[in-house]
Amino acid sequence: AQGQGTSLLPRLGGQPAAPARAAAYAQHFFPGPRRAAVVLGRWKLALFDRQARYQPPDDYQARLASGELARLPRIGLYDLERDPHERQDLSSLRPDLVARLAAIVHDHLGREVSGLRLLLAGAPAGTVVDVELHFRHPLAWWESCFLGEGDRVVAAGDRLRLTLVGEALPKGVLLPPASEIVSLRVITPVWLPVRLGGGGTYGGGPLGAAAVAHPQWPGAEGPQLLIWLPPGSAAPPPARPHGPEDEGTRRLRALGYVG
């Protein structure tokens, strides 16, 4: 088994302890819309990609997915000190915490989930952002990255049109890692800057991987459309089995019962 953590051995030698406010991160790896959560201190942010396209491989998986859609909100922010059972969602009251904790989620997903990111971040709530992109080749696919109900994506050949509604949570789409952007135009609002993961802002023309690649979440200070190619996109994700027998085997392997 593999895991992530912080070694406590230095403390045995009298060295300073690790920072006490390290974030705890969890992700749902089973088939279905992506789920992720982060806990930092007393606060927990839970995200559910409700707009993800998912075709259940069998009736059992379809019932599980339907149950999750019925009970899980897209965004949930909880004060674990006052609300340990996570019954009161405070995301609408603390957008600052949603943005702060969501950055940790995106940083982790960048190392685990392949794809070029086009994300709207920091735009005032309710702001409608309309973006048009032209790619060198037709897009093979696109995936939701925590899109909301009011967001729209239209892909046709080598063109992509995004209509995104501003909110605290950075959200948008995942595209094939090798996607080559020939041009990008923010239709509205015209003042919205396009920030590149590798640093700087977009001034027009084609975009190469070097301009958008960055080893970690590049941050999102102020309203922007962020184009980011994280390190998790260096190689495509492994193929996922779709048959019920393979799915059962995969679940047993995840639990450590199958080698």
Side-chain angles (χ1 to χ4, degrees):
Q2 295 182 346
Q4 295 180 351
T6 300
S7 174
L8 299 179
L9 286 176
R11 296 188 63 182
L12 298 178
Q15 298 182 28
R21 293 184 59 81
Y25 172 78
Q27 182 183 338
H28 181 268
F29 284 101
F30 291 147
R34 185 170 293 113
R35 293 165 54 186
V38 61
V39 176
L40 182 62
R42 64 192 289 176
W43 296 100
K44 175 180 178 180
L45 177 70
L47 302 178
F48 180 42
D49 202 342
R50 297 180 61 88
Q51 300 302 317
R53 291 176 290 182
Y54 172 59
Q55 183 62 44
D58 52 53
D59 290 342
Y60 174 68
Q61 296 296 327
R63 289 194 298 272
L64 289 179
S66 177
E68 289 192 337
L69 285 170
R71 68 184 180 86
L72 294 177
R74 173 171 162 262
I75 305 173
L77 178 69
Y78 306 100
D79 183 345
L80 298 180
E81 187 173 294
R82 296 185 176 180
D83 179 26
H85 298 292
E86 302 175 19
R87 292 171 177 164
Q88 184 179 9
D89 174 22
L90 302 176
S91 58
S92 62
L93 301 177
R94 294 299 306 269
D96 57 321
L97 283 173
V98 171
R100 179 184 174 192
L101 297 179
I104 300 173
V105 173
H106 280 295
D107 186 60
H108 278 272
L109 288 178
R111 295 192 293 269
E112 300 164 355
V113 179
S114 176
L116 175 69
R117 271 73 169 163
L118 273 68
L119 304 173
L120 176 64
T127 301
V128 177
V129 175
D130 210 358
V131 182
E132 187 176 63
L133 297 102
H134 176 204
F135 296 87
R136 192 170 303 281
H137 305 288
L139 286 175
W141 54 267
W142 66 268
E143 290 185 13
S144 167
C145 188
F146 302 113
L147 290 170
E149 290 185 3
D151 301 320
R152 297 290 179 267
V153 181
V154 178
D158 59 0
R159 306 281 174 163
L160 183 71
R161 183 77 172 261
L162 301 177
T163 302
L164 305 174
V165 181
E167 60 179 320
L169 174 67
K171 45 75 178 290
V173 293
L174 304 179
L175 304 174
S179 300
E180 297 182 57
I181 298 175
V182 175
S183 64
L184 181 152
R185 180 168 67 103
V186 177
I187 300 172
T188 183
V190 295
W191 51 261
L192 185 73
V194 179
R195 184 181 174 195
L196 307 180
T201 55
Y202 177 67
L207 278 176
V212 296
H214 198 274
Q216 60 189 24
W217 173 248
E221 297 295 331
Q224 61 187 261
L225 182 71
L226 175 64
I227 307 178
W228 175 41
L229 184 68
S233 299
R240 297 179 179 177
H242 296 289
E245 181 175 353
D246 288 338
E247 175 60 27
T249 301
R250 196 172 77 85
R251 286 176 178 266
L252 289 174
R253 181 178 293 110
L255 293 172
Y257 293 110
V258 178

